Amino acid sequence: MGSLDENLPLPSIHGFKPLDLGDLREQVHQTVDFIMDYYKNVESFPVLPSVQPGYLRGLLPATPSDKPTTFDAILRDLRRAILPGLTHWTSPNFFAYFPATLSSAALAGDLLASAFNPVAFNWLSSPAATELESLVLDWLAHLLRLPSRFLSSSASTAAHGGGVLHTTTSEAILCTLVAAREAALRRCGGGAAAISRLVAYGSDQTHSTFFKACRIAGFDPAHVRSVPTRSESEFSLEPASLRAAMAADAAAGLVPAYVCATVGTTSSTAVDPVGPISEVAAEFGAWVHVDAAYAGSACVCPEFRQYLDGVERADSVSFSPHKWLLACLDCTCLWVRDTRLLTGPLGTDPEYLKNGPSESGSVVDLKDLQVGVGRRFRALKLWMVIRTYGVANLRAHIRSDVQMAQGFERMVRLDPRFEVVVPRRFALVCFRLRPRGEMGEAWADKENRRLLEMINESGRVYITHTVVGGKYVLRFAVGSTLTEERHVAGAWELITKKADELLGAENNPARNI
Amino acid sequence: MGSLDENLPLPSIHGFKPLDLGDLREQVHQTVDFIMDYYKNVESFPVLPSVQPGYLRGLLPATPSDKPTTFDAILRDLRRAILPGLTHWTSPNFFAYFPATLSSAALAGDLLASAFNPVAFNWLSSPAATELESLVLDWLAHLLRLPSRFLSSSASTAAHGGGVLHTTTSEAILCTLVAAREAALRRCGGGAAAISRLVAYGSDQTHSTFFKACRIAGFDPAHVRSVPTRSESEFSLEPASLRAAMAADAAAGLVPAYVCATVGTTSSTAVDPVGPISEVAAEFGAWVHVDAAYAGSACVCPEFRQYLDGVERADSVSFSPHKWLLACLDCTCLWVRDTRLLTGPLGTDPEYLKNGPSESGSVVDLKDLQVGVGRRFRALKLWMVIRTYGVANLRAHIRSDVQMAQGFERMVRLDPRFEVVVPRRFALVCFRLRPRGEMGEAWADKENRRLLEMINESGRVYITHTVVGGKYVLRFAVGSTLTEERHVAGAWELITKKADELLGAENNPARNI
């Protein structure tokens, strides 16, 4: 818990310099050495730690020390107490959830953002932060071939499109939901009390954060629809089902307000058809948000852009470069066709923030497009990632991950004990042990559950599961920044070995050849 | 923009290494050199930039390049295009808003958080991130002498207190507001439609984000009260006024649900009396949240702790170490007396996140205490700040800023042209040119407005304004991390010089001695 020699003396009240430049250089240099050492070794760490709940309290003091601690001692504690409890999202053997990608350029950009530390709530409080954000969102809109309605550079008296960087998709959904809610209240003319008549729509595959955002925004939980999907339509939200749900609600005197369409669902990367869904929503005057949190990154490649087709009819679209475009957490891009629909309910104008540029109407104040007031300078890392690597490399990065996932998929298909459960579109493979002979779905669920435990308990890889179409399915998401083909091959080897242990090696057809 | 030699060749699809360790070291080293150079010179930069809206589009390309750019070229662009448009929050001559403090330890901690990049939405997805967050919140609760009801280490079957790190105060207010809304709905038994009968209370000094959070959470804007304050009670929320407002609402059949008490308002650091306000709220069963965003940091010093007196009766309390405790953006601590009141409305349990530890109930999943799902590892920088500097230095840091503000206040009081408008409690001085002779308040407002413009146009310091008690007032907030006494003295010298120019030097009594 820190020996005496780790404690430094106290300076006098005015002698304390928390931004001493010598300390800064030394501490950051030590930190980058620590990080390099971590990345060199992360492949050998158990991806999922084996610590027990409460483990950390036994390793660190219960109360803070009055005295300073040497940076060396802090790094030793990091190694001793923190690293063993980390789930290593940066491990090349991490195939769980969706990846959280990063890059040296993002780390450098984030460090600069922390160092400048502008609390860029409005334009004047840091013009460069606001303007770079608007520029980089236009850059990304360009890469995704979004229609010009979403570009701030197209903004004129007639066009009010634009974007904002949020923390995560949850914030993007919440803010657009509030905008849609206010628009629907104006439309139905029932005053604020009519909130209890509004309805929001997702599918049974829509991310849980949509349902949570509806709760936060005050929608009646009984009026938030989870429209059932079917395996026949690959778990996408079917326009006919959506229309039926909206028509029934409208007939019951309710007010359809918001539809969340997902491009690349979390369970299985299902793609809701944005165009047809927008057509249905338009019949009822509802807002359409396109949540492309994961798959949006892939759409920088022309061959994947089709999945955003129809986005020109949507009201808003978001995706998270921290998921798959090498920007580290947190970083979500949101574009809306009319920023005024956000700034209406989310705008504030307290006296202590009043200033000439804001009053002139010639600038955008980004606090009015988000939940909070203060905000990190997230545009910097995003801009540095795109500049440092260039668009061609970003596309290569996506394609490389997809190719590795294709390779994994091929291996799954070659082993008759396994099946690919839903079509692979991006870099996620949903697979499982097949039901065998007369042993049906219940057996398969149980065996796949057990197989997942055995794989993860090994510590050698980390994968997660989902349930689609009633089936317990293993998810293999390629995309951790350090992953190479050999890691994917190694993971498959481990999976088949565990399947051998579970099912008996005699059931492995490969071994019987 | 960018000559040919700045472009690097494209690697093949599998040759792209965004986390190459050599690049990482080189880029971070270059970045830290850039940052040191920036800090060395920031004192000489105009604190408020003089760029015009749209300036950046002329300096950077409108579309991204296909090819990589050298890191040198990117840093040159930073210097050429970004720095001139930054408002320098880290300048020692920045006295605007409230400060956003930082430290070398916070920069190192944030860099590590980016590098580990765990998306620690639940315990299993990175046990160390969740557990360090709980530990460091207990540490800070200890420093603020919060009652044990807010500590997670006191949590047992009978106690469910605990905390979470949010992005900013806005998120803390929003989440507690949603918790209070659900509790009030259960209490009043009117079902979800009763949301339009709920009432939330702040004062006319409460931060605008409270009113915005009420809108987001679906409160009827007509039922969000801004209780008037008076200069006689130093712009604090008076319990009698609150009681009158709540009683009138209750009598009208409305349901008082939430009171936001502020310790250290943004305008003038007014302090709402937490104990008496909580007593009033308890009469109506309303939730009390204590927003100590700025002043909470000062409460690590025993002499300031009095301002939190009564917090043992509140339901939740938050403060932002990014404001005044050397953690850079974003970092807000929220404690609640019963985390179940948050996890009720904010909890989600989708299949793809189900896991043993969560189902066992033995862990806290922090996604259920916040707006979003993914979250940065913010605890790391906070823990590193407290360890690196120690509690005594953190106290010295607060006291040093307060002493500098006291020095500024003394100088204001010695110049009869000026007056201190409200009592200085922390490190913010609210002052103005006095109304002179028969020239009344309208004159004073106009002259103070003009004086502020002249001060800020000089580029040498940046201060902001507010209006309290109908008076236009200048705010001088000491606390930027690099500020020393000489900067405060220099700022006062500039202010008096501008006052000389504005009023005529012959009106400066100091010059007539």
Side-chain angles (χ1 to χ4, degrees), chain A residues 90-169:
Chain A
T90 57
S91 166
N93 298 313
F94 182 96
F95 302 102
Y97 312 112
F98 281 133
T101 55
L102 40 59
S103 56
S104 57
L107 294 184
D110 228 12
L111 178 59
L112 279 163
S114 297
F116 295 145
N117 209 30
V119 191
F121 36 75
N122 58 20
W123 184 87
L124 187 66
S125 70
S126 222
T130 297
E131 301 216 354
L132 190 65
E133 188 158 327
S134 142
L135 180 74
V136 80
L137 281 160
D138 277 3
W139 277 19
L140 280 163
H142 175 83
L143 291 186
L144 297 182
R145 289 196 275 140
L146 294 184
S148 62
R149 72 193 296 192
F150 293 119
L151 268 67
S152 59
S153 57
S154 311
S156 66
T157 44
H160 297 274
V164 60
L165 291 177
H166 279 173
T167 49
T168 65
T169 299

Side-chain angles (χ1 to χ4, degrees), chain B residues 489-506:
Chain B
W492 177 245
E493 194 183 313
L494 176 76
I495 292 167
T496 53
K497 186 165 154 277
K498 294 296 172 187
D500 289 352
E501 287 173 30
L502 181 68
L503 304 175
E506 66 280 9

Side-chain angles (χ1 to χ4, degrees), chain A residues 135-327:
Chain A
L135 180 74
V136 80
L137 281 160
D138 277 3
W139 277 19
L140 280 163
H142 175 83
L143 291 186
L144 297 182
R145 289 196 275 140
L146 294 184
S148 62
R149 72 193 296 192
F150 293 119
L151 268 67
S152 59
S153 57
S154 311
S156 66
T157 44
H160 297 274
V164 60
L165 291 177
H166 279 173
T167 49
T168 65
T169 299
S170 306
E171 186 175 6
I173 292 180
L174 177 59
C175 289
T176 51
L177 198 55
V178 169
R181 189 191 70 194
E182 296 306 301
L185 288 178
R186 278 194 301 276
R187 211 166 55 235
C188 78
I195 188 173
S196 58
R197 287 169 48 213
L198 305 186
V199 193
Y201 303 82
S203 82
D204 58 11
Q205 300 300 305
T206 305
H207 196 283
S208 59
T209 202
F210 160 70
F211 299 95
K212 172 168 166 173
C214 290
R215 285 202 299 275
I216 294 176
F219 281 70
D220 184 338
H223 296 160
V224 180
R225 309 281 172 240
S226 171
V227 179
T229 60
R230 302 176 304 147
S231 66
E232 293 82 342
S233 47
E234 297 175 1
F235 304 105
S236 68
L237 174 57
E238 293 174 79
S241 309
L242 177 65
R243 181 180 286 112
M246 295 181 95
D249 286 330
L254 300 178
V255 182
Y258 186 91
V259 180
C260 183
T262 309
V263 172
T265 60
T266 302
S267 261
S268 65
T269 64
V271 173
D272 298 340
V274 173
I277 283 176
S278 300
E279 271 183 55
V280 172
E283 295 170 25
F284 299 90
W287 182 296
V288 174
H289 177 71
V290 178
D291 165 13
Y294 164 70
S297 294
C299 299
V300 304
C301 299
E303 66 271 31
F304 292 110
R305 173 55 176 75
Q306 55 174 307
Y307 296 115
L308 284 178
D309 282 358
V311 70
E312 63 281 1
R313 310 194 57 166
D315 296 280
S316 52
V317 53
S318 61
F319 90 106
S320 298
H322 64 234
K323 275 203 155 63
W324 203 7
L325 215 58
L326 303 176

